[in-house]
Amino acid sequence: MSAARALSSLYRQHALREVDLAFAEVLQRAGGVPEVALAGALAMRAVALGHSGFGLVRVDALLAELEATADLPETDAWNDILRSSPLVATGFHGDKRPLVLAAGRISLYRYATYEYDLARRLRGRAEFDSEFEDRQHSDRAPTAAAWLRAVFAIAPDQSLEPQALAVWLASRRRLTLITGGPGTGKTTTVARLLALLRHCGADPARIALAAPTGRAAARLGEAIAQAVARDREAGLLDAGLAESIPHQAQTLHRLLGWRFGDTRFRHDAGNPLPFDTIIVDEASMIDLPLMSKLVAAVSPEARLVLLGDPDQLPAVEAGHVFGTLCAAAGTGTLFSEPFAAAASQALRMSIPALERPRETAPPAPLLGCRVHLLRRYRQADAPALQELTQAVCDGDFDAVQRRLESTDRTLHWRRDGANALEPWLRREWLPGLSALTTAPDPIAALREARRLRMLTALRQGWSGSEYWNAWFARQLGGITTPWFPGRLIMITANSYRHGLFNGDIGIVWPGARGECAVWFENLDRAWHPRQLPAHESAFASTVHKAQGSEYERVLLLLPDRDSRVLSRELLYTGLTRAQGRVDLWADAAILAQAMARRAHSDTGLDAWLHDATE
């Protein structure tokens, strides 16, 4: 089959969209042969699936994801045709052509640019910069080290305390990745980093805190404020220092200067952010374009700290960025010999050094920029839940099944099928939601709503969030009007005019005269329903939408048929939203299929980081 017939066949199978076919036609009109047009259409389709492009040798995986078949050109011949085309740049040499072929992958020019720029800037940040270190700590290093030892109660020759090491590293480098599962103390670590910076004289106005969504930003600010309060009560921070630590966070879009109708931000490489320290939480949610723009906008003289969990679901949009960066930074538990020796001496604790790598092993381009936190503080009262999430993370289905079949009070595995779910929800779930309207005020009701949440793998269909949001609305009073007291809603699009952002949760609450308005935790005013930006009900939400949130109790509902969205990462992310109890509604066979599948995102960022694109 020729490339032209493959294009037509994929379009008839609905594997390619109108826009993909239109792009292929543009390439052909510009002089591209059918093989180039086919590659361009598939590269554009790949972006819509969350990839930054596709590998020629892995194109069958892309077709499988599209549930399509086609007789594609032979790989070597296709590669030769693409390399000889004037529409395809090979490598990245400032050649602005529609497509880029590098490391055996074909990408749209825009996405190759994002990856190339991001890799180049991060490699520069990761390089050891003694001048930066001297500027930051030349006269304060002994005092800073002593302060850290006191705050973390480090005894002489103590074994590794990862949180202390993360603070030390982040205070001295221009790039730091602080990673770990939920509840491992990432925000507590950041609070102490902020305290150290203030202790060393940093200007709080030159420190920025941010997250991808409004809800995640609010949670970051709350967590830092709580951690600072705990350290102050414990006598680890004096009152003046504690009160000077910033804890107000904002969305990345607001930080960068979002402009209506423009994909460019106010802050970029030519107009960098006016901060010396930028700390970003929930970095696993950041897609390739946004991460590239963020890193470009950080001043070369500033430090960038990224917090996140590499085992969570990757961003919905293109690029598995944070996971790729973590892989390029090593395990986060072993460090170069010079750094381990210097940090051990300063902090007086044993820090494991990485053995000199074999000459055949490719160097980790971001080695020394990551600290991985292991001890979990969240779910500390639910060890069975901890063990379950770890087994999911490890891909050990037998261990998952054994733990779910235990009689532990924090885990409930239901395999009753669809017919049993509605009566179970009426008995177990509706009383808690109905009780929201008895709270003293809407803010208290929103806090109470954090106690439980239904999470789904899918958005549509019987097991999807849309179906169950409609069901809850009917049960709770939404038969005659959608704006009934106690309705939970989620904002689905950023609105700077309103001060409302994607992921913000609100509640419908009656006013003094009986009219309903919508209240949000982070605002001191209510909105009339007609004034709201795009929104939807939030009694149930997809696991993707729940990233950056946590609840006391979670009901995780999987579909009764296999779906490509099911993956180990989805299970892990859903389960780790719970602090104390999980009700898992899933068939054993579906659970096994989810465990066997990894969330896949085809990216060329790793190759650009290793500079192995030719």
Side-chain angles (χ1 to χ4, degrees), residues 376-422:
R376 291 192 180 182
Y377 299 89
R378 190 201 298 179
Q379 301 177 339
D381 296 328
L385 186 50
Q386 280 194 10
E387 292 170 13
L388 174 63
T389 56
Q390 188 58 54
V392 169
C393 191
D394 295 339
D396 188 343
F397 179 69
D398 291 339
V400 166
Q401 196 161 16
R402 285 194 303 273
R403 177 47 63 194
L404 287 172
E405 289 173 344
S406 71
T407 57
D408 192 276
R409 62 179 180 82
T410 62
L411 298 176
H412 297 265
W413 186 18
R414 303 300 301 265
R415 290 163 281 180
D416 309 47
N419 293 336
L421 182 52
E422 287 191 19

Side-chain angles (χ1 to χ4, degrees), residues 383-591:
L385 186 50
Q386 280 194 10
E387 292 170 13
L388 174 63
T389 56
Q390 188 58 54
V392 169
C393 191
D394 295 339
D396 188 343
F397 179 69
D398 291 339
V400 166
Q401 196 161 16
R402 285 194 303 273
R403 177 47 63 194
L404 287 172
E405 289 173 344
S406 71
T407 57
D408 192 276
R409 62 179 180 82
T410 62
L411 298 176
H412 297 265
W413 186 18
R414 303 300 301 265
R415 290 163 281 180
D416 309 47
N419 293 336
L421 182 52
E422 287 191 19
W424 184 88
L425 285 170
R426 288 191 182 94
R427 183 177 67 253
E428 295 279 337
W429 222 250
L430 284 179
L433 293 177
S434 299
L436 295 181
T437 56
T438 64
D441 55 62
I443 302 306
L446 283 169
R447 295 193 183 111
E448 186 69 17
R450 295 185 189 178
R451 292 172 59 86
L452 73 172
R453 189 60 50 88
M454 181 183 194
L455 302 181
T456 66
L458 303 177
R459 182 177 178 84
Q460 298 177 329
W462 173 86
S463 59
S465 59
E466 289 181 351
Y467 178 94
W468 289 106
N469 274 319
W471 185 86
F472 281 119
R474 290 195 302 272
Q475 306 302 312
L476 295 168
I479 297 176
T480 58
T481 173
W483 301 106
F484 56 91
R487 180 192 175 193
L488 294 173
I489 70 164
M490 177 187 289
I491 299 299
T492 58
N494 292 335
S495 175
Y496 292 88
R497 180 170 64 89
H498 294 81
L500 295 171
F501 303 96
N502 184 19
D504 283 353
I505 300 293
I507 192 168
V508 178
W509 201 259
R513 291 177 289 185
E515 77 286 0
C516 280
V518 185
W519 292 82
F520 296 85
E521 269 190 37
N522 57 335
L523 296 177
D524 58 2
R525 59 156 294 182
W527 294 95
H528 189 280
R530 287 197 297 267
Q531 295 176 305
L532 292 177
H535 58 273
E536 62 189 21
S537 289
F539 300 112
S541 68
T542 62
V543 174
H544 267 290
K545 285 285 188 180
Q547 284 183 270
S549 299
E550 60 183 48
Y551 314 97
E552 290 185 21
R553 181 179 179 183
V554 162
L555 165 60
L556 179 57
L557 174 63
L558 301 189
D560 51 9
R561 296 181 180 179
D562 189 27
S563 168
R564 67 179 181 85
V565 304
L566 294 176
S567 67
R568 190 185 307 173
E569 289 79 4
L570 181 135
L571 284 175
Y572 173 82
T573 304
L575 293 171
T576 52
R577 299 310 90 203
Q579 294 174 298
R581 173 172 169 173
V582 165
D583 298 287
L584 176 63
W585 206 283
D587 177 77
I590 297 299
L591 186 61

